[in-house]
Amino acid sequence: LHSDSPPFLHKNNEDVVEEMCRNVIRDMDTYGVCVVDNFLGEERGKAVLGEVIDMHTKGVFRDGQLVSSTGRHGDLKTIRGDQIAWIDGKEKSCKNIGHLISQVDLVIMRANKMLNNGKIGQYNINGRTKAMVACYPGSGSHYVKHVDNPNRDGRCITSIYYLNLQWDVKRSGGLLRIFPEGSRGDKVADIEPIFDRLLFFWSDRRNPHEVQPAYHTRYAITLWFFDALEREEACRRYEKERKLQLSSK
Ligand SMILES: O=C(O)CCC(=O)Nc1cc2ccccc2cn1
Ligand SMILES: [Mn+2]
């Protein structure tokens, strides 16, 4: 499940990318989850972290998911989950985030071309969302167990890049726990959100996941990749529903 990216990926070396893609394909086929550590290297990783911290300081983040839980005394505590900001990576103050996005694209599109004659896991990836930069304020904010794409909206791979230097889950929490389908709860994938770690997993019902309460600020950048066919069908369904609603008005 853990494949270290060779030290010289940062030179964009062709066969290094090739080697990494083989690891991603193997892990996705075997586990439906893949972790790549040291993805950008310390310098580039810190440059991305710097841009995210600048965004946070400038108040770019908007409150994301509202999660509520009852406290010890049964009182309803609404703990803000993640705060998010959408980035396309071309913004002048986000050029390092833009570089991260292009590197993840490189790996996914190369993996898409390899094995299974141009498909990864029988998907044909032809696009992705913008980057969702997420910040969990350290106030015990968490994210309840959920599936990213439960109803075939077209997203097939979730890719998350973590930015948290010297993160210690025992002290700071914030563990991502994935409950791979059919594991009946005895086999879970516990992913620590450590600095310069890149995670891939199938976005559909195979991978319900949760973020456990975080007690220090926890940053992550997520990209969702689309399967061409599933996305086209989802858009067509959406168009039909929209027309129905318009005509029923
Ligand atoms: O930060 C992590 O380790 C994963 C957090 C996570 O699952 N975030 C997330 C955030 C989402 C925001 C909007 C819609 C769906 C979403 C699904 N998942
Ligand atoms: Mn999620």
Side-chain angles (χ1 to χ4, degrees), residues 84-139:
I84 58 177
W86 290 95
I87 298 289
D88 73 16
K90 297 183 190 62
E91 298 87 346
K92 62 185 182 315
S93 58
C94 298
K95 67 182 195 327
N96 288 289
I97 295 175
H99 175 262
L100 164 71
I101 294 169
S102 63
Q103 290 299 103
V104 181
D105 281 348
L106 191 79
V107 171
I108 287 289
M109 296 329 283
R110 172 68 62 81
N112 194 43
K113 256 203 321 285
M114 288 162 68
L115 303 183
N116 312 326
N117 49 62
K119 294 187 175 210
I120 177 167
Q122 305 318 315
Y123 289 116
N124 175 20
I125 295 174
N126 71 335
R128 60 163 165 75
T129 64
K130 286 185 175 184
M132 185 188 77
V133 184
C135 160
Y136 284 77
S139 51

Side-chain angles (χ1 to χ4, degrees), residues 80-239:
R80 276 267 177 243
D82 52 346
Q83 299 171 331
I84 58 177
W86 290 95
I87 298 289
D88 73 16
K90 297 183 190 62
E91 298 87 346
K92 62 185 182 315
S93 58
C94 298
K95 67 182 195 327
N96 288 289
I97 295 175
H99 175 262
L100 164 71
I101 294 169
S102 63
Q103 290 299 103
V104 181
D105 281 348
L106 191 79
V107 171
I108 287 289
M109 296 329 283
R110 172 68 62 81
N112 194 43
K113 256 203 321 285
M114 288 162 68
L115 303 183
N116 312 326
N117 49 62
K119 294 187 175 210
I120 177 167
Q122 305 318 315
Y123 289 116
N124 175 20
I125 295 174
N126 71 335
R128 60 163 165 75
T129 64
K130 286 185 175 184
M132 185 188 77
V133 184
C135 160
Y136 284 77
S139 51
S141 50
H142 63 294
Y143 202 106
V144 293
K145 188 171 171 180
H146 66 281
V147 168
D148 283 358
N149 172 15
N151 308 314
R152 293 181 61 79
D153 65 21
R155 292 178 294 166
C156 60
I157 292 184
T158 302
S159 168
I160 307 178
Y161 181 71
Y162 294 108
L163 289 153
N164 308 294
L165 286 164
Q166 282 107 26
W167 189 270
D168 172 4
V169 164
K170 288 184 295 301
R171 191 167 44 87
S172 308
L175 184 79
L176 171 72
R177 174 161 287 180
I178 305 179
F179 305 81
E181 193 181 46
S183 61
R184 287 181 318 286
D186 56 346
K187 261 196 335 288
V188 292
D190 279 350
I191 316 286
E192 304 197 2
I194 62 171
F195 175 74
D196 202 19
R197 167 168 284 181
L198 182 64
L199 167 68
F200 295 107
F201 57 88
W202 301 128
S203 309
D204 62 17
R205 293 168 189 263
R206 284 172 282 184
N207 289 313
H209 53 283
E210 67 184 13
V211 176
Q212 298 183 346
Y215 299 101
H216 289 102
T217 306
R218 177 190 187 276
Y219 293 119
I221 301 177
T222 301
L223 293 165
W224 282 281
F225 288 89
F226 292 123
D227 167 65
L229 189 61
E230 184 179 317
R231 183 65 180 163
E232 194 198 324
E233 288 166 352
C235 293
R236 208 178 301 124
R237 257 196 334 267
Y238 176 76
E239 264 316 297

